[in-house]
Amino acid sequence: MVREKIRVSTRTLQWKCVESRTDSKCLYYGRFILSPLMKGQADTIGIAMRRALLGEMEGTCITRAKSEKIPHEYSSIVGIQESVHEILMNLKEIILRSNLYGTCEASICVRGPRCVTAQDIILPPYVEIVDNTQHIASLTEPIDFCIGLQLERNRGYHIKTPNNFQDGSYTIDSLFMPVRNVNHSIHSYGNGNEKQEILFLEIWTNGSLTPKEALYEASRNLIDLLIPFLHAEEDNLHLEDNQDKVYLPLFTFHDRLTEIRKNKTTLALKSIFIDQLELSPKIYNCLKKSNIHTLADLLNNSQDDLIKIERFDIDDVKKILGTLEKHLLIDLHLTKTKR
């Protein structure tokens, strides 16, 4: 553990790591401060950094396992103590560190009796295992244990999609988030109009990167997202009214929206991003994967278009309707759709 005395400068904005520790190979902790900040700034930065650390960071996971000898996910194999489902859950817990882009292949091929751990995974040279002792399976008889693995680098949490297992391939729920948790707190000091704040930021990671590395990467991601605003042309800031607005398109859920068009009501829909709509993580991730990033993108899709999105169902569409009613103050009703 490393602790340092906190010294706050009132002259320049500075950040500092005041505590760091390694609780285990798969759990790192870091505590940072940023100061001095004006009143309200600490909360602005803290919320933005927490969202960036939890939602914008990429990680590497095992997303698929394949073996033609396995009849189905809930079967048991003679000579192996764990069921197939338990083995898949153990593979889900394996933490990897890589510079991978997209997907790649890995494999396990050992002979029992023995205990199979993460160390037995044959990986490409650009992928590392954080904890080689992570358990996968226990072979109790002299049998061959051979499976193929698919690795992927991505962000967020992906829930596996059902398949018929005819090719012996099994998808695995994937938690790509290398940051496990983030807390931020604020300490205020001073009096009156000269009151200032200190931002405390706590970060826990899974060991694939340190909290300091996570803080740096999340900051770079935020900067990359905001750079387009710095390059906006001056001419674009003085567009005519009709050029600066996006008309609300006819959303096929209900004819009520035609009233909005008749009244020529306009909204700057392109400036409203879907992460401002308080959507569930599942709906948010599905929309993002379908290149739906703004409210304009969302309203350009019909009810049928949304239902066709992978892992979407009618309940998800209803939740989107409720969100639109809340934010646009319009009355929407779901039309019946044959599925």
Side-chain angles (χ1 to χ4, degrees), residues 53-229:
L53 284 161
L54 293 176
E56 299 296 328
M57 304 288 293
E58 290 188 344
T60 304
C61 290
I62 299 173
T63 57
R64 186 178 297 271
K66 184 174 182 179
S67 176
E68 297 178 354
K69 297 181 180 180
I70 301 174
H72 58 82
E73 181 180 355
Y74 297 99
S75 60
S76 298
I77 301 175
V78 176
I80 301 180
Q81 182 174 316
E82 292 83 2
S83 67
V84 174
H85 179 73
E86 289 173 325
I87 294 173
L88 294 177
M89 292 300 99
N90 291 336
L91 290 172
K92 175 183 174 180
E93 299 298 323
I94 302 296
I95 298 174
L96 304 171
R97 180 191 298 115
S98 80
N99 294 319
L100 172 68
Y101 291 93
T103 62
C104 70
E105 303 297 323
S107 63
I108 302 174
C109 193
V110 296
R111 183 170 180 80
R114 58 169 296 178
C115 181
V116 184
T117 65
Q119 188 174 3
D120 297 307
I121 302 177
I122 303 173
L123 295 167
Y126 45 83
V127 181
E128 300 177 25
I129 295 174
V130 172
D131 184 2
N132 286 326
T133 65
Q134 287 184 278
H135 180 76
I136 297 176
S138 298
L139 309 184
T140 58
E141 297 182 14
I143 62 170
D144 292 325
F145 179 78
C146 295
I147 58 174
L149 303 174
Q150 176 181 282
L151 314 181
E152 181 180 345
R153 184 175 176 86
N154 211 317
R155 62 176 186 158
Y157 180 69
H158 294 187
I159 301 176
K160 65 182 180 180
T161 55
N163 59 28
N164 54 18
F165 311 119
Q166 290 181 355
D167 61 349
S169 180
Y170 301 84
T171 55
I172 301 173
D173 291 345
S174 306
L175 181 64
F176 294 103
M177 301 160 57
V179 177
R180 291 300 190 229
N181 193 21
V182 179
N183 284 336
H184 81 274
S185 57
I186 301 167
H187 172 70
S188 299
Y189 63 97
N191 296 314
N193 295 331
E194 297 183 359
K195 199 167 187 178
Q196 294 180 315
E197 297 178 338
I198 304 174
L199 172 65
F200 290 84
L201 198 63
E202 295 179 288
I203 303 172
W204 289 261
T205 69
N206 65 0
S208 62
L209 76 175
T210 66
K212 185 176 180 180
E213 292 170 335
L215 185 63
Y216 176 82
E217 186 175 334
S219 301
R220 291 298 311 172
N221 289 340
L222 275 178
I223 292 171
D224 291 341
L225 289 172
L226 296 173
I227 279 178
F229 294 108

Side-chain angles (χ1 to χ4, degrees), residues 4-9 12-20 29-37 42 45-46 49 183-187 189 197-203 215:
E4 297 184 22
K5 185 177 180 181
I6 302 174
R7 296 179 180 178
V8 180
S9 169
T12 58
L13 191 63
Q14 296 180 339
W15 76 274
K16 192 173 186 179
C17 177
V18 294
E19 182 180 354
S20 65
Y29 171 81
R31 189 165 181 251
F32 307 87
I33 63 168
L34 180 66
S35 67
L37 296 164
I45 298 173
M49 287 303 302
N183 284 336
H184 81 274
S185 57
I186 301 167
H187 172 70
Y189 63 97
E197 297 178 338
I198 304 174
L199 172 65
F200 290 84
L201 198 63
E202 295 179 288
I203 303 172
L215 185 63

